[in-house]
Amino acid sequence: MRRLIVPVLAALAVSGAAFGTAVAQDAGDEGGPKKPSMHDLYHNSSLPKSHADFSRYRYRPPGDKVIEQPDAFRLLFQTKDGQPDGYAERRGTSVFYYDRYGKLRQIQPLPEDATAG
């Protein structure tokens, strides 16, 4: 029995020491300067940013904050306290406006020259 216990305890001691070293290395990484996130890297990069012209989107809820999403040709509307209040997105030759529950509020047809871009 003793012959079985000694090797098992030795193996546990070696694996425990290796685990303790790995934990100590991870803890040492936290003390250094914080690495930038992917969002920080994107905003500070020289990659071309998407741009969309939202000047033809006529309706904006009064008092709401407007957040542009140029990749999706979409505007998000938020109330002053940050609650979602709907969105507007371009589909083909029209702009569709939705309320905070995702129901269609109105459709705005775009002139023919606006769809060329």
Side-chain angles (χ1 to χ4, degrees), residues 60-91:
R60 286 170 170 58
D64 279 5
K65 178 181 174 185
V66 178
I67 301 170
E68 295 182 357
Q69 289 185 329
D71 295 336
F73 289 103
R74 181 168 52 192
L75 292 178
L76 299 178
F77 306 121
Q78 287 185 348
T79 59
K80 290 182 181 181
D81 60 348
Q83 298 295 320
D85 199 25
Y87 63 97
E89 70 181 353
R90 179 177 162 190
R91 291 188 183 174

Coordinates of all heavy atoms in Angstrom, one line a residue, residues 60-91:
R60 N -37.2 61.8 -37.4 CA -36.4 61.6 -36.2 C -37.3 61.9 -35.0 O -37.9 62.9 -34.9 CB -35.1 62.4 -36.1 CG -34.1 62.0 -37.1 CD -32.9 63.0 -37.2 NE -31.7 62.6 -37.9 CZ -31.6 62.2 -39.1 NH1 -32.7 62.0 -39.9 NH2 -30.5 61.9 -39.7
P61 N -37.5 60.9 -34.1 CA -38.4 61.2 -33.0 C -37.9 62.4 -32.2 O -36.7 62.5 -31.9 CB -38.3 59.9 -32.1 CG -37.8 58.8 -33.1 CD -36.9 59.6 -34.1
P62 N -38.8 63.3 -31.8 CA -38.4 64.5 -31.1 C -37.7 64.1 -29.7 O -38.3 63.3 -28.9 CB -39.7 65.3 -30.9 CG -40.8 64.3 -31.2 CD -40.2 63.2 -32.0
G63 N -36.6 64.7 -29.4 CA -35.9 64.6 -28.2 C -35.1 63.3 -28.1 O -34.4 63.1 -27.1
D64 N -35.0 62.5 -29.1 CA -34.3 61.2 -29.1 C -32.8 61.4 -29.6 O -32.6 62.3 -30.4 CB -34.9 60.2 -30.0 CG -36.1 59.5 -29.3 OD1 -36.4 59.9 -28.2 OD2 -36.6 58.5 -29.9
K65 N -32.0 60.6 -29.1 CA -30.6 60.6 -29.5 C -30.5 59.7 -30.7 O -31.1 58.6 -30.7 CB -29.7 60.1 -28.4 CG -28.2 59.9 -28.7 CD -27.5 59.4 -27.5 CE -26.1 59.1 -27.8 NZ -25.4 58.5 -26.7
V66 N -29.8 60.1 -31.7 CA -29.6 59.3 -33.0 C -28.2 58.7 -33.0 O -27.2 59.4 -32.9 CB -29.9 60.2 -34.2 CG1 -29.7 59.4 -35.5 CG2 -31.3 60.8 -34.1
I67 N -28.2 57.4 -33.2 CA -26.9 56.6 -33.4 C -26.9 56.1 -34.8 O -27.8 55.4 -35.2 CB -26.8 55.5 -32.3 CG1 -26.9 56.1 -30.9 CG2 -25.6 54.7 -32.5 CD1 -27.1 55.1 -29.9
E68 N -25.8 56.4 -35.5 CA -25.6 56.0 -36.9 C -25.0 54.6 -36.9 O -24.0 54.4 -36.2 CB -24.8 57.0 -37.7 CG -25.5 58.3 -37.8 CD -24.7 59.3 -38.7 OE1 -23.6 58.9 -39.1 OE2 -25.1 60.4 -38.9
Q69 N -25.4 53.8 -37.8 CA -24.8 52.5 -38.1 C -24.6 52.4 -39.6 O -25.4 51.9 -40.4 CB -25.6 51.3 -37.6 CG -25.7 51.2 -36.1 CD -26.4 49.9 -35.7 OE1 -27.3 49.4 -36.4 NE2 -26.0 49.3 -34.6
P70 N -23.5 53.0 -40.1 CA -23.3 53.1 -41.6 C -23.2 51.8 -42.3 O -23.5 51.7 -43.5 CB -22.1 54.0 -41.7 CG -21.4 53.9 -40.5 CD -22.4 53.6 -39.4
D71 N -22.6 50.8 -41.6 CA -22.5 49.5 -42.3 C -23.8 48.8 -42.7 O -23.9 48.1 -43.7 CB -21.7 48.5 -41.4 CG -20.3 48.9 -41.1 OD1 -19.8 49.7 -42.0 OD2 -19.8 48.6 -40.1
A72 N -24.9 49.1 -41.9 CA -26.2 48.5 -42.1 C -27.2 49.5 -42.7 O -28.3 49.2 -42.9 CB -26.7 48.0 -40.8
F73 N -26.7 50.8 -43.0 CA -27.6 51.8 -43.5 C -28.8 52.0 -42.5 O -29.9 52.0 -42.9 CB -28.1 51.6 -44.9 CG -27.1 51.8 -45.9 CD1 -26.4 50.7 -46.5 CD2 -26.7 53.0 -46.4 CE1 -25.5 50.8 -47.5 CE2 -25.7 53.2 -47.3 CZ -25.1 52.1 -47.9
R74 N -28.4 52.1 -41.2 CA -29.5 52.1 -40.2 C -29.2 53.2 -39.2 O -28.1 53.5 -38.9 CB -29.5 50.8 -39.5 CG -30.6 50.6 -38.5 CD -30.8 49.3 -38.0 NE -29.6 48.6 -37.6 CZ -29.5 47.3 -37.4 NH1 -30.6 46.5 -37.5 NH2 -28.4 46.7 -37.0
L75 N -30.3 53.8 -38.7 CA -30.2 54.8 -37.6 C -30.9 54.2 -36.4 O -32.0 53.6 -36.6 CB -30.9 56.1 -38.0 CG -30.3 57.0 -39.0 CD1 -31.2 58.2 -39.3 CD2 -28.9 57.4 -38.6
L76 N -30.3 54.3 -35.3 CA -31.0 53.8 -34.0 C -31.4 55.0 -33.3 O -30.7 56.0 -33.2 CB -30.0 53.0 -33.2 CG -29.5 51.7 -33.8 CD1 -28.5 51.1 -32.8 CD2 -30.6 50.8 -34.1
F77 N -32.6 55.0 -32.7 CA -33.2 56.1 -31.9 C -33.2 55.6 -30.4 O -33.7 54.5 -30.1 CB -34.6 56.5 -32.3 CG -34.6 56.8 -33.8 CD1 -35.5 56.1 -34.6 CD2 -33.9 57.8 -34.4 CE1 -35.5 56.4 -36.0 CE2 -33.9 58.1 -35.7 CZ -34.8 57.4 -36.5
Q78 N -32.7 56.5 -29.5 CA -32.7 56.2 -28.1 C -33.3 57.4 -27.4 O -33.0 58.6 -27.8 CB -31.3 56.0 -27.5 CG -30.7 54.7 -27.9 CD -29.4 54.4 -27.3 OE1 -28.8 55.3 -26.7 NE2 -28.9 53.2 -27.3
T79 N -34.1 57.2 -26.3 CA -34.6 58.3 -25.5 C -33.4 58.9 -24.7 O -32.3 58.3 -24.7 CB -35.7 57.7 -24.5 OG1 -35.1 56.7 -23.7 CG2 -36.8 57.2 -25.3
K80 N -33.7 60.0 -24.0 CA -32.6 60.7 -23.3 C -32.0 59.8 -22.2 O -30.9 59.9 -21.8 CB -33.2 62.0 -22.7 CG -33.4 63.0 -23.7 CD -33.9 64.3 -23.1 CE -34.2 65.3 -24.2 NZ -34.6 66.6 -23.7
D81 N -32.8 58.9 -21.6 CA -32.3 58.0 -20.6 C -31.7 56.7 -21.1 O -31.3 55.8 -20.4 CB -33.4 57.7 -19.5 CG -34.6 57.0 -20.2 OD1 -34.7 56.9 -21.4 OD2 -35.4 56.5 -19.4
G82 N -31.5 56.6 -22.4 CA -30.8 55.5 -23.0 C -31.7 54.3 -23.5 O -31.1 53.3 -23.9
Q83 N -33.0 54.4 -23.3 CA -33.9 53.3 -23.7 C -34.0 53.3 -25.2 O -34.2 54.3 -25.9 CB -35.2 53.4 -23.0 CG -35.2 53.4 -21.5 CD -34.7 52.0 -21.1 OE1 -35.1 51.0 -21.6 NE2 -33.9 52.0 -20.0
P84 N -34.1 52.1 -25.9 CA -34.3 52.1 -27.3 C -35.7 52.6 -27.7 O -36.6 52.3 -27.0 CB -34.1 50.6 -27.7 CG -34.2 49.9 -26.4 CD -33.9 50.8 -25.3
D85 N -35.7 53.4 -28.7 CA -37.0 54.0 -29.1 C -37.3 53.7 -30.6 O -38.2 54.3 -31.2 CB -36.9 55.5 -28.9 CG -38.3 56.1 -28.9 OD1 -39.3 55.4 -28.5 OD2 -38.4 57.3 -29.2
G86 N -36.6 52.8 -31.2 CA -36.9 52.4 -32.6 C -35.7 52.6 -33.5 O -34.6 52.9 -33.0
Y87 N -35.9 52.3 -34.8 CA -34.8 52.4 -35.7 C -35.3 52.7 -37.1 O -36.5 52.5 -37.4 CB -33.9 51.2 -35.7 CG -34.5 49.9 -36.1 CD1 -34.4 49.4 -37.4 CD2 -35.3 49.2 -35.2 CE1 -35.0 48.3 -37.8 CE2 -35.9 48.0 -35.6 CZ -35.7 47.5 -36.9 OH -36.3 46.3 -37.2
A88 N -34.5 53.1 -38.0 CA -34.8 53.4 -39.4 C -33.7 52.7 -40.2 O -32.6 52.8 -39.9 CB -34.9 54.8 -39.7
E89 N -34.2 52.0 -41.2 CA -33.2 51.3 -42.1 C -33.6 51.4 -43.6 O -34.8 51.5 -43.9 CB -32.9 49.9 -41.7 CG -34.0 48.9 -42.0 CD -33.7 47.5 -41.5 OE1 -32.5 47.3 -41.1 OE2 -34.6 46.7 -41.6
R90 N -32.6 51.5 -44.4 CA -32.9 51.6 -45.9 C -33.0 50.2 -46.5 O -32.1 49.4 -46.2 CB -31.7 52.4 -46.5 CG -31.9 52.5 -48.0 CD -30.8 53.4 -48.5 NE -30.7 53.2 -49.9 CZ -29.7 53.6 -50.6 NH1 -28.7 54.3 -50.1 NH2 -29.6 53.4 -51.9
R91 N -34.0 50.0 -47.2 CA -34.2 48.8 -48.0 C -34.6 49.1 -49.4 O -35.7 49.6 -49.6 CB -35.3 47.9 -47.3 CG -34.9 47.3 -46.0 CD -35.9 46.3 -45.6 NE -35.6 45.8 -44.3 CZ -36.4 45.0 -43.6 NH1 -37.5 44.7 -44.1 NH2 -36.0 44.6 -42.4

